[in-house]
Amino acid sequence: MRTRSQPSTLLIVLILFITFPIWITVGAVLFGVFAGVFGAIFGILGAIFGVLITVLMLPFKILFGWGDWGFHGWNGMFHGHNNGLAVILIIIVVAILLRRNRSTN
């Protein structure tokens, strides 16, 4: 059985020592990629959760005027009532009146 000689061991140690920064860089890049993918997964899950909550709450916001619509002092023709229920009632009344006018003709 043959044992390794001193120069081959020294060469291996030298190669490992010289390439050490490359291996650290590769490890750091892989760690960054995995951390980024992990963060992206949490971001996507958070976005999906936000969309689901928004879809569930939108009818209540439209009907009852919950929340801030972003007008910041200007509320259109309703002057202080951020209430989509008034808009829906006006649309229903107009539709009933139009239907009643069509049926009498």
Side-chain angles (χ1 to χ4, degrees):
M1 179 185 249
R2 187 173 159 195
T3 61
R4 289 187 181 178
S5 63
Q6 187 65 19
S8 67
T9 305
L10 184 62
L11 183 64
I12 291 172
V13 169
L14 188 61
I15 289 173
L16 287 175
F17 184 73
I18 291 172
T19 60
F20 180 73
I22 295 170
W23 294 114
I24 289 294
T25 304
V26 169
V29 166
L30 289 175
F31 178 76
V33 167
F34 288 132
V37 169
F38 192 68
I41 289 170
F42 272 110
I44 290 169
L45 291 176
I48 290 171
F49 180 73
V51 167
L52 289 175
I53 294 298
T54 301
V55 167
L56 289 174
M57 291 315 214
L58 187 62
F60 296 105
K61 185 172 183 159
I62 290 172
L63 290 175
F64 305 117
W66 294 349
D68 182 18
W69 284 90
F71 291 116
H72 302 294
W74 182 79
N75 294 318
M77 63 183 218
F78 299 109
H79 303 293
H81 300 285
N82 263 341
N83 197 345
L85 184 59
V87 175
I88 292 172
L89 289 176
I90 290 171
I91 292 171
I92 291 171
V93 168
V94 168
I96 290 172
L97 290 175
L98 287 175
R99 186 174 289 216
R100 189 177 291 174
N101 286 340
R102 286 185 187 166
S103 65
T104 58
N105 290 337

